[in-house]
Amino acid sequence: MAIRLVAIDLDDTLLNPDRSIFPVNRLTIIRTINAGVMVVLASGRTIQSMRPYAEELGMIGKKFPIICMNGAEIRDIDSKAIIQQHAFTPEQVKICVNAVMSAGLPAQVYEDDCIIVTEKNDWTNRDTALTGLPNRLQNYNGELWAENRSKILTSGEPEVLKKVMVELKKQLDGIAHLILSKPYFLELLPLGADKGSALAWIAEKYGIRQEETMAIGDSWNDLGMIAWAGIGCAPNDANPEVLAQADYIAKNNHYEGAVAELLKHFILDSI
């Protein structure tokens, strides 16, 4: 059955280490879109951080949705409006932030165009370098939970985060879903927020069957969509857990055109 919908992760899947799109990936995605396939970017980033890549790929004006904040938000790519969302209430944000800080770690939340942090350090600066979003200290104690939030993030040494994650899962059971998006980034997501559930929602909305979908990703936060998609794929340098989950592994790594290879193999070569 022909693929009609593809979800593609950004960091360490589509993007090079310098955060640019490898030319062959860009050209192949544009060819895929021109062939009538809906291509959806799926990332833990905010819409503001993702939209420049959508523009580069010629997605503006196509009426495509875009999966932001690891599935907590599905946005309209043109208007940036939220069309589906899972969010923490202010009280839930307060509980999560206090749990993170009690573990001795910083906490941060996201607005479309900036990151609000409880403290600035090398880790928060790394997130700014990754996403291009500036970070700023909270203006007052409690600003992080002044409104609904789509996700909360904490950061630190990978070994520390692994231990803290075990305890936070117990404390926040029934409130938050925890995932490592990178070894040094631990994300707290509202229940129900996942790239896989977001992909399923989009497929249903557009009348696309599960077996007509494809997902490409590299990390723990991609496992949901790789498992749900009709064909779940990964570059050959993906996280070992993702490689084990994937239906198909590219011959190339992410910075050698794995995305282009996969799109050609499953879509363009069969047209």
Side-chain angles (χ1 to χ4, degrees), residues 22-48:
F22 195 52
V24 69
N25 284 339
R26 182 179 65 252
L27 293 173
T28 305
I29 288 175
I30 292 171
R31 282 183 60 204
T32 302
I33 292 170
N34 289 340
V37 177
M38 177 183 288
V39 178
V40 173
L41 299 181
S43 175
R45 295 171 177 242
T46 68
I47 182 67
Q48 198 74 10

Side-chain angles (χ1 to χ4, degrees), residues 28-248:
T28 305
I29 288 175
I30 292 171
R31 282 183 60 204
T32 302
I33 292 170
N34 289 340
V37 177
M38 177 183 288
V39 178
V40 173
L41 299 181
S43 175
R45 295 171 177 242
T46 68
I47 182 67
Q48 198 74 10
S49 179
M50 295 178 70
R51 201 169 186 275
Y53 296 112
E55 292 174 354
E56 184 177 349
L57 294 168
M59 295 177 171
I60 307 304
K62 304 290 186 183
K63 302 187 183 298
F64 288 174
I66 189 168
I67 298 172
C68 310
M69 308 291 263
N70 279 321
E73 296 177 0
I74 301 174
R75 300 258 189 159
D76 179 282
I77 206 168
D78 297 310
S79 68
K80 304 181 187 178
I82 295 174
I83 54 179
Q84 204 269 352
Q85 182 181 28
H86 296 280
F88 289 118
T89 65
E91 182 59 30
Q92 289 173 328
V93 178
K94 183 177 181 180
I95 292 169
C96 291
V97 168
N98 285 338
V100 166
M101 295 184 70
S102 294
L105 293 171
Q108 60 191 62
V109 298
Y110 297 78
E111 298 192 342
D112 285 354
D113 57 359
C114 76
I115 306 168
I116 306 174
V117 302
T118 55
E119 67 176 74
K120 289 195 173 193
N121 55 38
D122 289 343
W123 301 112
T124 56
N125 290 338
R126 186 175 297 196
D127 198 13
T128 287
L130 175 71
T131 63
L133 295 177
N135 66 66
R136 67 169 177 83
L137 287 170
Q138 58 183 349
N139 289 324
Y140 57 91
N141 183 34
E143 184 182 9
L144 273 68
W145 56 81
E147 59 186 75
N148 291 350
R149 302 291 184 187
S150 294
K151 80 170 185 178
I152 302 159
L153 184 142
T154 187
S155 52
E157 294 292 343
E159 290 307 312
V160 172
L161 288 187
K162 285 181 182 178
K163 293 177 181 178
V164 169
M165 184 176 180
V166 174
E167 292 305 313
L168 288 179
K169 279 186 174 181
K170 296 175 185 176
Q171 293 180 44
L172 301 175
D173 183 43
I175 297 175
H177 168 57
L178 277 66
I179 56 169
L180 288 165
S181 53
K182 291 191 176 297
Y184 43 83
F185 288 155
L186 174 59
E187 303 200 11
L188 287 66
L189 297 173
L191 297 180
D194 179 81
K195 289 186 183 181
S197 59
L199 179 58
W201 188 92
I202 291 170
E204 182 178 5
K205 178 178 174 63
Y206 287 90
I208 298 171
R209 298 178 182 179
Q210 185 174 6
E211 57 266 34
E212 297 175 314
T213 65
M214 176 177 172
I216 309 173
D218 75 287
S219 195
W220 295 283
N221 57 329
D222 299 312
L223 283 168
M225 70 176 185
I226 288 172
W228 187 86
I231 303 173
C233 303
N236 71 10
D237 57 341
N239 179 293
E241 291 180 46
V242 175
L243 294 176
Q245 178 71 64
D247 300 307
Y248 188 91

